[in-house]
Each structure stands twice: as structure tokens, then as C-alpha cells.
Amino acid sequence: MTILHDDVTRAQLNRFGQLRHFLTLEGLGREMLTRILDTAESFIEVGSRQIKKVPLLRGKTVANLFFEPSTRTRTTFELAAQRLSADVLNINISTSSTTKGETLSDMLQNLEYMKVDMFVVRHAQSGAPHFIASRVCPHVSVINAGDGRHAHPTQGMLDMLTIRQYKQRFEGLKVAIVGDIQHSRVARSEIHALNTLGAEVRVVGPSTLLPPGIEALGVTPCDNMKDGLDGADVVIMLRLQKERMDGALLPSEREFFRLYGLTREKLAWAKPDAIVMHPGPINREVEIASDVADGSQSVILPQVTNGIAVRMAVMSMAMSGQIAELTADDEV
Ligand code: CP
């Protein structure tokens, strides 16, 4: 599936420049990213209330459509929708009628006729959420929960929220993204956001896991940890995404850990107050040592908590954008 980036950027905004769908961070300006972060920040306290709900999506229905496995993203989207007072449908793809030959388009059309207002989509195929967004009824918004190697925009934004909480700025920050960059939709979304917000980005890993020409994205590639982590403020570790690898790209996991696994010794090359991040799921002693994952510099679990607030933010903003568009159409 070919992705035309200008088209994706245009497709996710309404005529007033508001979010209508949420498909990629590519092409979104600093003002929009900051608005998402500020909106997410305002939702954080909802999670510590006795009754963890606000009425912004009351009467709306959100369908979670996960065609790939997920723990964090699916459950935090569900919690976010519930905290916005939406009704939530978790479609079990393995027991849905797609197993009887129904096409994705037909399944989605049936859900549209049940008056579902929002599809949250994770799919192994890059571009699938954009394809769906280009075909849905005007009353439906589509949120990308991770598509192939292309984008994981809510993960990118929850990572930005976490960095802003711990570092209070982006301008001048040195961020090292380490590991399997080649197959990572998370890295792509983070790179777009960090560049837009003014951070300096290094991507670190063996040449087999660094896409050729990655410099064009505005990052510095580095094939050794000492140079890559030198003076870093933020270290983001990535999982080896074996499900997307064709053939052997590494001698062994043990060798990968020796060279690129984050241990306390390697972390000492970064700044003493550097934070350690990971989108999850983590593979202990493959890309990160247990004592680092559980250590005082790790913010891996706060990242998960921030996922709820960020997903509340993008769902409520997309719904506002959808309503603004429908209202303007009614007035014409
Ligand atoms: N970070 C992330 O996407 O995790 P899940 O695959 O568990 O959703």
C-alpha cells in the first residue's frame, strides 16, 4: 500500500486545520503538537479522581479494531475512551466475520451503519488507517494505533509528553533512539515529533537495522553505543521486531545485547540525569538489562500512564474537528 505523505497530512485535518482523523505526526506543525501535549496534560488529573470520567464523548461509540497483538495501546485506548464517557466496542478480529471471508471494507461499513463514531485501528499493513480514513462516512473519525513500519502517532506523542514532563523542554535536547530502527513505526513517529519540537536526534544500531538514507529524516546515524549515547539527555530503547524481519539481520540476540543492549555501564555514557524510555513490550536482556529497565532513570511505566491522557486528547480533538466540519456542512 503506497502512502503519499502530503495526502495523509491533508486527510487528517479538517478545513479549519483541526484534527479530524489522527494518522501520522509527519506534517503536523509545532503548534498542533504542543496543543495535543497541552490537552493531554489537562487530562492527567482525571486519572487520579475518585470518578475518572469527563463527558466529552458521551453518546459517542468508539470501536477498537486491532488486527495485530497489543497490550498497552489497546487497553489505554479503551480506558481513554471510557474516561471520555464513550461507549466502547472491542472487536475481536479472530472471531469476527472477516474469518468467513468478509472484506475489511464490508466489516467497517456494517459498523458505520451501527453508528460507530470512531475507529481505532492497528494493522500490520502500512497505510491501512489512511485507506480506511479515505473511505469512511463523514460522521466517523479514524485514529491510527500503529500501522506496519509506518507510524505509531499516539506512541510518539505519549513519548513527547513524558520527555516534556521530565526535561521541561525539547529545544537543544540530545535524544538517542537505539536498536531496530529499520522496522520501527515508533522511531519514525518519534523522529518527526522530535525534529518538529527542536530536539537533536541520533539513531543508534547495527547498519543492518538502520535504514539506508535515514539522514534525510534529519537524524544522525551512529553504529556504536559510546558515540550514540555520549552526553544524551534521553535514551529510547526499541525492541527487535522479529515479526517484521526478513532473514537474519543479526548474528545472535546475545551478540546484539553485548553491543547494543542498554546496561548500567553503557548508560553511564549518557548524562547522569538522562531518562531511559521504551515503548514496550520490553525484552529483558535482549535490548535492555533488567536493572536498567527497573532502575531509577527508567520512565517506562510513566510512559504507559501518559498513554491514557494522550489518547484522551487525540480522541477528543478529532471528535471536535469532526463536529466542527459536520456543523459547517449543515450551515452551507
Ligand atoms: N507500545 C506498544 O504499541 O505496545 P503494544 O504493542 O502492547 O500496544
Side-chain angles (χ1 to χ4, degrees), residues 103-299:
T103 66
L104 175 61
S105 296
D106 284 334
M107 180 175 105
L108 295 175
Q109 208 172 27
N110 277 270
L111 291 169
E112 285 177 323
Y113 272 72
M114 295 174 207
K115 300 292 178 207
V116 169
D117 300 283
M118 187 174 281
F119 295 144
V120 176
V121 181
R122 168 169 289 194
H123 205 285
Q125 187 79 35
S126 295
H130 176 231
F131 175 82
I132 295 167
S134 68
R135 280 157 180 78
V136 289
C137 296
H139 75 273
V140 177
S141 291
V142 178
I143 310 288
N144 183 0
D147 62 323
R149 304 177 187 192
H150 171 235
H152 195 346
T154 57
Q155 179 71 47
M157 289 312 294
L158 75 88
D159 294 341
M160 296 311 111
L161 183 62
T162 309
I163 292 172
R164 194 171 79 165
Q165 281 172 345
Y166 284 87
K167 297 292 169 190
Q168 287 83 46
R169 69 194 162 92
F170 293 99
E171 213 65 61
L173 274 189
K174 292 181 173 56
V175 180
I177 307 176
V178 182
D180 184 2
I181 313 292
Q182 172 78 30
H183 302 98
S184 177
R185 55 194 174 209
V186 175
R188 280 166 185 73
S189 288
E190 287 167 341
I191 289 167
H192 289 303
L194 288 163
N195 278 337
T196 305
L197 294 167
E200 179 194 310
V201 186
R202 302 167 192 167
V203 289
V204 188
S207 58
T208 48
L209 296 180
L210 294 177
I214 185 101
E215 299 90 334
L217 293 183
V219 300
T220 306
C222 196
D223 67 3
N224 75 86
M225 286 289 265
K226 191 166 193 310
D227 292 342
L229 266 54
D230 182 37
D233 300 281
V234 177
V235 181
I236 304 177
M237 301 305 298
L238 298 175
R239 182 176 65 85
L240 292 176
Q241 288 140 96
K242 288 184 243 169
E243 70 276 19
R244 292 189 206 116
M245 288 184 192
D246 301 321
L249 297 174
L250 298 166
S252 68
E253 285 184 358
R254 183 196 284 249
E255 185 65 359
F256 179 79
F257 183 70
R258 187 178 73 76
L259 293 172
Y260 296 100
L262 190 64
T263 56
R264 279 198 292 199
E265 293 71 28
K266 294 194 192 95
L267 183 56
W269 292 323
K271 286 199 179 139
D273 64 348
I275 54 170
V276 174
M277 302 173 64
H278 194 308
I282 63 171
N283 282 201
R284 292 170 185 266
E285 319 306 330
V286 178
E287 70 270 0
I288 189 164
S290 263
D291 59 355
V292 175
D294 302 329
S296 60
Q297 288 170 266
S298 169
V299 298

Side-chain angles (χ1 to χ4, degrees), residues 35-55:
R35 198 178 313 155
I36 294 169
L37 294 178
D38 292 344
T39 307
E41 196 86 54
S42 75
F43 284 132
I44 286 174
E45 62 86 24
V46 176
S48 46
R49 288 187 195 170
Q50 199 77 18
I51 296 171
K52 299 177 181 55
K53 278 206 191 285
V54 289

